[in-house]
Amino acid sequence: MKDGPDGIVLDIQRFTTWAGPGIRTTVFLKGCALRCPWCCNPEGWDPQPEILFRELKCSRCGDCLAVCPVPGAIDLSAPGLINRKICTRCLQCVDACRYKALLPVGSKLTVAEVMDEVLRDSLFYFNSKGGLTVSGGEPLFQADFTAALFQEARRYGLHTCLDTSGYAPPENLEKVLPHVDLVLYDVKHTNAARHHRKLGVPNWLILDNLRKIAGSVEIILSAPLVPGFNDAGDFIQELGQLACSLGIREVHLLPYHGMGEPKYRMLGRLMKFEAQAIDTGKLENFQQQLEARGLLVDIGG
Ligand code: SF4
Ligand code: SF4
């Protein structure tokens, strides 16, 4: 293939079964404009590579300090080690740490490099009707790279799935959509004011993008269910209405699990959201409400 755009890739997970039909490889890209306080992948927010610091593995040996070119960027007495306000992310400390206490997250890769990894499991895709999913972060944040990946995947006959929040300029969506077989589309809230209050951005762009693409590609709506935000009957009813009005037949409910907190600490951030898991009875009730509308419902993705 000819050279395409490079991407900043957070992770490549083989044998995923939650992100579209069959056995798939899911490529997670860095960069997302949303800051959902319950997000379990905060390492996907920043578009550039960064460092996870695993405090329990750190011996405070000082090898990282010895190579760091930025005075004050490493403080061996600080719990988080790195002063991220002045760190230039040169990653020299990562290479210097023999205890693997510093992990880089995000690598610059070409389409060909990602596809080499994806194609390792071709046999499984064809036998299971699986393929490639691109997720994030927000894959539309790197729309050119995402489009190029899907184009290349299709050249090999793979099923393609976009896992998106929908919060992106319409032109980014237009670049990617012609190469997509299935969209997993997040709807976090149908109520504009509540969406804005919690996420700091309105939901009109997300809903407009959804309405624009409905009918032109297969869509599954996915809704993260977050206690105190959208775990209520009115949201479920509106979600069901939205799906039915757009001819969407399947909805995935993704209950909040709160397992992302350690990653916030490793990135030197504070997770400002805490909640109990949603109880099973409530989830079953939501499922029944949606099924009563004739929708296929999956809990957990
Ligand atoms: S080199 Fe690694 S183990 Fe040593 S102080 Fe730095 S982070 Fe800790
Ligand atoms: S990434 Fe570079 S600047 Fe930042 S702490 Fe490590 S060595 Fe210092």
Side-chain angles (χ1 to χ4, degrees):
M1 65 165 293
K2 63 180 170 45
D3 285 350
D6 291 336
I8 305 293
V9 178
L10 176 61
D11 196 11
I12 299 177
Q13 285 182 9
R14 297 166 63 196
F15 297 101
T16 50
T17 52
W18 54 267
I23 293 171
R24 315 187 68 80
T25 291
T26 300
V27 177
F28 296 84
L29 302 185
K30 267 179 84 58
C32 180
L34 295 178
R35 292 291 178 269
C36 306
W38 54 83
C39 178
C40 59
N41 291 319
E43 73 279 30
W45 293 352
D46 192 310
Q48 295 304 321
E50 53 195 326
I51 300 171
L52 288 176
F53 172 55
R54 301 192 286 182
E55 192 178 1
L56 289 177
K57 288 193 175 279
C58 176
S59 68
R60 305 280 162 172
C61 66
D63 289 353
C64 51
L65 180 62
V67 299
C68 178
V70 181
I74 290 183
D75 177 354
L76 293 176
S77 64
L81 191 80
I82 299 171
N83 180 344
R84 293 176 192 259
K85 289 197 180 113
I86 57 174
C87 164
T88 58
R89 308 188 196 189
C90 68
L91 305 187
Q92 291 184 49
C93 54
V94 172
D95 295 333
C97 179
R98 67 197 123 127
Y99 298 98
K100 305 275 179 232
L102 298 166
L103 288 183
V105 279
S107 319
K108 192 172 182 182
L109 297 178
T110 63
V111 172
E113 284 168 330
V114 174
M115 287 308 297
D116 278 351
E117 189 68 12
V118 171
L119 293 172
R120 288 171 68 185
D121 298 320
S122 296
L123 196 60
F124 295 100
Y125 309 144
F126 290 115
N127 288 338
S128 69
K129 298 194 168 63
L132 168 67
T133 296
V134 184
S135 181
E138 169 49 62
L140 296 177
F141 204 91
Q142 300 187 51
D144 290 323
F145 186 66
T146 300
L149 274 180
F150 282 145
Q151 258 178 298
E152 195 59 6
R154 278 212 170 150
R155 218 164 61 78
Y156 288 93
L158 305 189
H159 179 273
T160 57
C161 172
L162 172 72
D163 180 21
T164 179
S165 70
Y167 190 71
E171 54 272 25
N172 288 22
L173 196 51
E174 283 158 20
K175 273 183 196 167
V176 173
L177 209 64
H179 316 292
V180 173
D181 295 313
L182 169 68
V183 182
L184 301 179
Y185 201 105
D186 255 28
V187 172
K188 296 176 175 68
H189 217 303
T190 41
N191 180 291
R194 283 192 222 169
H195 193 280
H196 202 162
R197 213 165 30 240
K198 204 70 177 175
L199 301 184
V201 296
N203 62 356
W204 63 262
L205 178 61
I206 294 167
L207 296 177
D208 274 8
N209 278 339
L210 175 62
R211 290 189 187 101
K212 269 185 205 139
I213 67 170
S216 64
V217 63
E218 185 185 353
I219 299 171
I220 295 176
L221 286 191
S222 58
L225 283 185
V226 181
F229 173 58
N230 63 3
D231 63 330
D234 59 345
F235 170 63
I236 296 299
Q237 285 302 326
E238 286 168 14
L239 184 70
Q241 257 168 25
L242 181 68
C244 293
S245 70
L246 297 175
I248 294 168
R249 294 175 43 242
E250 190 165 344
V251 175
H252 291 177
L253 300 177
L254 314 171
Y256 166 80
H257 53 60
M259 291 192 300
E261 195 278 332
K263 290 189 199 165
Y264 285 78
R265 257 183 293 129
M266 288 192 274
L267 289 164
R269 299 184 200 142
L270 190 65
M271 186 176 190
K272 295 179 187 147
F273 185 84
E274 205 179 339
Q276 297 295 315
I278 299 172
D279 74 71
T280 316
K282 198 171 191 178
L283 286 173
E284 283 171 1
N285 177 274
F286 291 162
Q287 179 170 10
Q288 285 159 9
Q289 288 187 46
L290 292 168
E291 284 174 345
R293 291 177 178 272
L295 292 162
L296 270 171
V297 182
D298 186 79
I299 295 183

